[in-house]
Every structure is written in structure tokens, then in C-alpha cells.
Amino acid sequence: MILKVYTSLLLLSLINFVWTRTVRQIYDDLDPDHWSRYTSECPQECFCPPSFPNALYCDNKGLKEIPPIPARIWYLYLQNNQIETLSEKPFVNATHLRWINLNKNKITNSGIESGVLSKLKRLLYLFLEENELEEVPAPLPVSLEQLRLARNKISKIPEGVFSHLENLTMLDLHQNNLLDSALQSDTFQGLNNLMQLNIAKNSLKKMPLSIPANTLQLFLDNNSIEVIPENYFSAIPKVTFLRLNYNKLSDDGIPPNGFNVSSILDLQLSHNQLTKIPPINAHLEHLHLDHNKIKSVNGTQICPVSIALEEDYGYYGNIPRLRYLRLDGNEIQPPIPLDIMICFRLLQAVVI
């Protein structure tokens, strides 16, 4: 199970390397005699590097409109401009686009021409962070693998907007204006291959409904979540990294075995209102509980297996795998209790 999880995360983290290698193969085969033609096609406002003929750099140019995009372009950089609209005209010939970076512009939903994004049939990466969007734009290209919409003003997710995005692996909606009412039971329907979902820094009071079953990384920091529903994580059996820092979780808001989930390897509960360590699973490797209200730690009580049984099996048994434990910012006084070290024999760092 753990090997499969790490394999999936490795694929996600190395995706930029794969793209770089693909691009290298493209321009290694490029005939230098064609560079002058590529230069002549380049919009005056932009930069077309001869060594990277499939890229168009129009970032930091003070642009208010998108210039015509040449047909050869795969990678389009338009960040840090004053662009307010997305119309079909600049993209008429850009049928091979894979990557568009439109971060830090002034794009609104009303400024996006109907259907302009869905017509980009090969688009894999769409970056629209730090714009003026009030809802998730729709329709989107079914080819998308990453959609980044952080730091907008999004308070609405149109019904069915994700229903056909079966290739999407990352969805970033952090630092928007999402309320619980914006996340319905079918909001994420269709995201069958989603691996990372980031809804941090919104205005949620409840855990979101119907998270896609294949999600590995779930980020919910900086909300106002108070309760973890019973058996919540049984619906996302592959979740590995869970971040709930800066919420309002108390002991009463966590079911007896709410976080005793074998798939979770990294659990972050910093800056909440816990007075004790919740039960954890023996597979957990990193636990962040700093800046809560915990006064004491009893290793025998929090140990996910019997210490006596652990001593019988030694390193050949199912000993807890916790390697990192953070408890600073609580009311705990050193030294670290000996039974903590007896239980968690693989601990490499304890912050207290």
C-alpha cells in the first residue's frame, strides 16, 4: 500500500521533469535554419527564445490583451500583466497549447468568452491564480491535468463543472471565499483521478462532502472546521497527507478513532484546540500537534499497539512507524516521557 502511494506521489512530483525532457527532445531536433521564421512569427510584445521554440514569454509586459498566439506554441507565459479578458481570437491558431500561465492578472468571469477554454483540446495545465474570478470558470477542457485557481474571490462552483475532468490530478482552490454551501455532494463528481485537493484558507466550518476516492493529499488549513464526522476517511481510503492546521478542532469534535486510519502517513493538526493526543494508527510517520492546549503526554495511552506486545515482537513486529512528533506550543514540560521512546522506537525527532 505504502509503496503504491509513494509511487503515485513520485509521478506527481516529477511531472515537470518529464515535460522538460519532452521539450528538450523537440528543440534538439530543430533545424537552426528555421529560427528566423520562428522569430518573425513572435508577437512584438513577447519573447520567443530560439532554444525553446515551443514557448512564448509574454510575462511582465504590462499587457491588457493577449496577442495572437503562433500555432507552434505549447507553453504560454502571460503572468504578471493587466489582462482582463480571454477571447477566442488570440487562440485561433494555438491548437497545440499544453500550458497556460495567467497568474496575477485581472481576469473576471464576465471577461472569459463562452467556450474559449474548452476549445483548447490539448491543454494540460491552466494557471489562473491571483485574478478576479468569483466562480470556477466553465466549461473547461477535458484534457486538463492541473487546475490552479488560488487567491481569487471564488465563492461558487457551478454544477457539473468538474464532471468530465477525468484526467485532473491537481485542483487548487486555496485562499478563496468558499463556504460550506458551495461544496455539495456532487461538486467533485467526475474527478476520478484526482490526487491533490487544496481548499485551504477558505471559510469552511465542516469537512467537505464527497472528496474523490483516489485523493492522496487533502489540504484544509486555515478554515473554521470544528468536527470530523464519524468514518469520514473511509470514503477516501488512499489519503496519505492530511493538513488541518489552523482550524477549531477540539477533543469533542474528533471521533474516538477519527484519525486511526492506516493510509495516513502525515497528519497535521497544529494550531487547534486539542487538549490530548487523538488515537493514531501504527502506520503514521509524521504528526504535527504544536500550538494546541495539550498539558501532558502518556506514551502508554497514545501508543497504537500494546507496548508489552511490541517488546515481544521487537523490530520484526508491527511496531509504530512514527518518525517525527511536534508538540511545541502546548503546555507540556520536558523531559520527554520514557514510554514515548519505548513505544515509538523509530522516532528521529521530537519537538517539545
Side-chain angles (χ1 to χ4, degrees):
M1 169 63 185
I2 293 176
L3 180 60
K4 290 181 179 179
V5 168
Y6 279 130
T7 301
S8 298
L9 292 175
L10 183 61
L11 289 173
L12 185 63
S13 63
L14 292 181
I15 196 162
N16 287 334
F17 168 77
V18 174
W19 272 111
T20 301
R21 186 171 181 177
T22 301
V23 171
R24 172 65 63 181
Q25 291 171 345
I26 291 170
Y27 67 70
D28 278 352
D29 296 335
L30 182 66
D31 185 349
D33 292 338
H34 294 167
W35 287 356
S36 60
R37 175 171 62 85
Y38 291 139
T39 303
S40 65
E41 292 177 350
C42 187
Q44 292 183 354
E45 309 94 326
C46 307
F47 172 60
C48 300
S51 60
F52 196 178
N54 295 93
L56 181 61
Y57 290 87
C58 307
D59 51 309
N60 296 286
K61 302 294 184 182
L63 299 179
K64 293 186 177 181
E65 296 181 351
I66 299 174
I69 311 302
R72 71 175 190 277
I73 298 303
W74 284 28
Y75 305 92
L76 178 58
Y77 299 89
L78 288 160
Q79 66 269 28
N80 292 299
N81 282 294
Q82 303 294 319
I83 297 169
E84 297 180 359
T85 60
L86 293 180
S87 62
E88 185 177 345
K89 186 177 179 180
F91 299 104
V92 169
N93 296 318
T95 57
H96 296 282
L97 277 175
R98 265 66 167 178
W99 174 304
I100 300 179
N101 189 334
L102 279 159
N103 292 346
K104 295 186 178 180
N105 278 282
K106 296 183 177 180
I107 298 169
T108 62
N109 288 95
S110 61
I112 301 177
E113 186 176 325
S114 178
V116 62
L117 294 173
S118 61
K119 291 178 181 178
L120 302 174
K121 303 294 185 182
R122 301 185 182 184
L123 193 65
L124 301 179
Y125 296 80
L126 178 57
F127 298 175
L128 278 165
E129 298 182 353
E130 292 190 59
N131 278 276
E132 303 292 332
L133 299 175
E134 295 183 352
E135 61 182 68
V136 175
L140 293 163
V142 298
S143 54
L144 273 186
E145 292 183 3
Q146 288 193 18
L147 178 59
R148 299 177 184 246
L149 299 170
R151 294 181 292 277
N152 277 277
K153 301 175 181 178
I154 295 173
S155 61
K156 181 181 178 182
I157 301 179
E159 183 177 356
V161 66
F162 302 128
S163 60
H164 300 296
L165 302 187
E166 294 188 359
N167 296 312
L168 201 71
T169 59
M170 174 195 277
L171 176 58
D172 190 346
L173 288 163
H174 88 268
Q175 200 166 330
N176 277 285
N177 298 328
L178 292 171
L179 300 171
D180 296 319
S181 58
L183 305 180
Q184 300 298 315
S185 59
D186 58 351
T187 295
F188 301 112
Q189 185 175 349
L191 298 179
N192 298 328
N193 290 298
L194 195 70
M195 297 171 65
Q196 184 184 108
L197 177 59
N198 191 342
I199 326 179
K201 294 188 177 181
N202 278 279
S203 300
L204 304 181
K205 294 183 178 180
K206 300 178 181 178
M207 294 292 284
L209 301 172
S210 300
I211 299 297
N214 286 319
T215 302
L216 298 175
Q217 301 176 337
L218 179 58
F219 303 147
L220 292 165
D221 314 76
N222 291 90
N223 280 284
S224 298
I225 297 171
E226 299 179 353
V227 176
I228 306 295
E230 190 82 34
N231 300 318
Y232 181 84
F233 299 105
S234 62
I236 41 175
K238 298 181 181 180
V239 63
T240 306
F241 295 88
L242 177 62
R243 291 197 335 217
L244 280 159
N245 303 320
Y246 291 95
N247 276 282
K248 296 182 179 180
L249 290 171
S250 63
D251 301 329
D252 293 337
I254 300 175
N257 284 295
F259 295 120
N260 188 359
V261 180
S262 61
S263 66
I264 299 177
L265 303 182
D266 191 301
L267 176 60
Q268 300 190 20
L269 297 169
S270 305
H271 293 271
N272 278 278
Q273 300 171 13
L274 303 175
T275 64
K276 59 184 180 182
I277 298 177
I280 59 175
N281 193 273
H283 290 90
L284 187 67
E285 296 183 2
H286 295 85
L287 178 59
H288 298 247
L289 284 165
D290 55 286
H291 297 91
N292 277 274
K293 299 179 180 180
I294 301 170
K295 294 183 179 180
S296 63
V297 181
N298 186 317
T300 303
Q301 291 180 354
I302 69 171
C303 193
V305 300
S306 167
I307 290 180
L309 185 62
E310 183 182 344
E311 290 176 347
D312 291 339
Y313 283 97
Y315 282 101
Y316 301 99
N318 186 29
I319 65 170
R321 299 176 187 176
L322 194 67
R323 289 170 168 79
Y324 180 87
L325 176 60
R326 185 171 176 183
L327 291 166
D328 56 302
N330 284 283
E331 302 175 27
I332 304 169
Q333 298 297 321
I336 300 167
L338 179 60
D339 51 3
I340 291 285
M341 310 309 297
I342 294 174
C343 173
F344 302 107
R345 301 185 186 185
L346 301 181
L347 265 176
Q348 298 174 357
V350 181
V351 184
I352 193 169

